[in-house]
Amino acid sequence: MATEYTWSISQLDCYPEHEGHTDVVFTAHWRLTGIDGEYTGSVYGTVGLTLDPDVPFTPFADLTETVVIGWVKDVMGEEAVAAHEANVAAQIEALINPPVVRPALPWG
């Protein structure tokens, strides 16, 4: 079964007022969860965001999780996104095929 990845945003930190705008997001707290059958892995992090004067400002009330996830991935870059997904895949692989086992003691 292939791992299914889900990106989510759990919190946004905002400046109450910045450059003439209100509730300006400057940090996004993200989580990447991977599920492969009954096995799950995840990573959590934050990414700093800045206002881009060349992009129209999106009011806080109009933000969607999809838009913010796009910002997060853009800031990270393709290599970091792939590395996070590889990390989650490795967590799941270690659950499926544990690299260390602790069998019961033969004399117990």
Side-chain angles (χ1 to χ4, degrees):
M1 178 175 247
T3 302
E4 293 183 29
Y5 297 102
T6 303
W7 289 82
S8 61
I9 303 298
S10 59
Q11 180 178 319
L12 297 173
D13 299 336
C14 301
Y15 294 118
E17 191 280 324
H18 184 71
E19 296 185 13
H21 303 289
T22 57
D23 297 329
V24 178
V25 177
F26 66 90
T27 301
H29 300 251
W30 57 268
R31 178 174 302 279
L32 170 61
T33 302
I35 299 174
D36 189 338
E38 62 188 74
Y39 301 99
T40 302
S42 69
V43 291
Y44 179 87
T46 61
V47 63
L49 303 168
T50 57
L51 277 178
D52 183 343
D54 297 329
V55 176
F57 179 76
T58 304
F60 188 84
D62 295 340
L63 293 176
T64 65
E65 188 172 39
T66 301
V67 166
V68 178
I69 290 168
W71 293 348
V72 167
K73 288 181 174 182
D74 285 347
V75 169
M76 283 183 185
E78 290 180 21
E79 286 184 23
V81 169
H84 289 307
E85 290 179 353
N87 178 335
V88 170
Q91 291 175 36
I92 293 170
E93 179 60 27
L95 292 170
I96 294 169
N97 298 300
V100 175
V101 295
R102 293 181 180 93
L105 297 174
W107 57 87

